[in-house]
Amino acid sequence: MRGLRDYTRSQKVVHWLMALAIMLDLFVAQKFGGVMKEWDRLESRSDHATLGTVMAILFLVRLVLRWRHGAPSLPSSMSPWQVRAAHWGHGLLYFFVGFLILSGILTALSAAQPILVFGAFDITMAKAGSLLASAGSTFDDLRWFHEFATNMVIALIVIHVTAAFYHWLIAKDETTQRMLRFWSGSRTTEDSN
């Protein structure tokens, strides 16, 4: 049986680029709750949509890389409940990041005001007189789902980072180092029975 000892370099790069994009996007999005001038709100929405688009592309690349290369085996020292928690945690994180991206796209499409992705492409479909514009509450309903997904992703990231620190500082089982090591061979397989 072949098992991965480490993630590929491309998996690591995409992981850290996604982490950076998510952190930047959360920083931009948190401004929405405050008082803003209209032009600033439109500019922030465009920045948010652009970062969301980058995150969506990275997420698709990440899914392909995960399908193609898999993931390293978990340490044999992990208890069964930790293995289940790791699988559930990663599964939920993938699900809610996907849900976050999808709900963000649908929210942006239903916005009544223009949202320019990369400062050039208006992705809104709710122009005056359209079916989406007349629906009225579509944007607010979709935004609620987007905010829910955002809160779930934040909670799962906190759990993910906490688990990474646990494996690095307490368990010392190389789990965290697998995503931090860039300088050595990224993918090593070993044969075991």
Side-chain angles (χ1 to χ4, degrees), residues 9-171:
R9 281 189 187 96
S10 55
Q11 286 176 301
K12 293 175 192 181
V13 168
V14 171
H15 173 272
W16 290 110
L17 287 175
M18 276 193 75
L20 179 63
I22 289 170
M23 292 301 117
L24 288 173
D25 210 14
L26 288 172
F27 175 75
V28 169
Q30 61 83 29
K31 293 179 7 180
F32 296 145
V35 176
M36 300 172 76
K37 295 185 189 238
E38 190 65 26
W39 64 268
D40 193 26
R41 183 172 299 281
L42 293 174
E43 183 178 5
S44 292
R45 280 186 179 169
S46 292
D47 292 344
H48 183 59
T50 299
L51 282 166
T53 302
V54 169
M55 195 167 66
I57 293 165
L58 288 170
F59 184 65
L60 290 174
V61 170
R62 184 175 184 139
L63 290 176
V64 168
L65 290 172
R66 180 69 179 252
W67 174 76
R68 187 170 180 207
H69 299 291
S73 302
L74 294 171
S76 58
S77 60
M78 286 178 66
S79 64
W81 76 265
Q82 287 177 316
V83 170
R84 282 191 303 276
H87 288 300
W88 272 97
H90 280 97
L92 287 171
L93 193 53
Y94 275 81
F95 174 80
F96 278 107
V97 168
F99 186 60
L100 177 67
I101 291 167
L102 180 61
S103 63
I105 291 169
L106 293 174
T107 302
L109 291 174
S110 68
Q113 297 171 318
I115 297 178
L116 299 176
V117 176
F118 299 110
F121 307 104
D122 182 4
I123 60 172
T124 56
M125 295 179 68
K127 311 293 185 229
S130 74
L131 182 61
L132 279 174
S134 62
S137 67
T138 305
F139 176 80
D140 292 330
D141 293 342
L142 290 169
R143 194 172 78 192
W144 182 90
F145 283 109
H146 188 60
E147 288 175 6
F148 172 74
T150 300
N151 291 329
M152 292 303 297
V153 168
I154 290 169
L156 289 164
I157 287 172
V158 168
I159 293 167
H160 183 71
V161 170
T162 301
F165 276 110
Y166 166 79
H167 285 283
W168 184 26
L169 301 173
I170 297 171

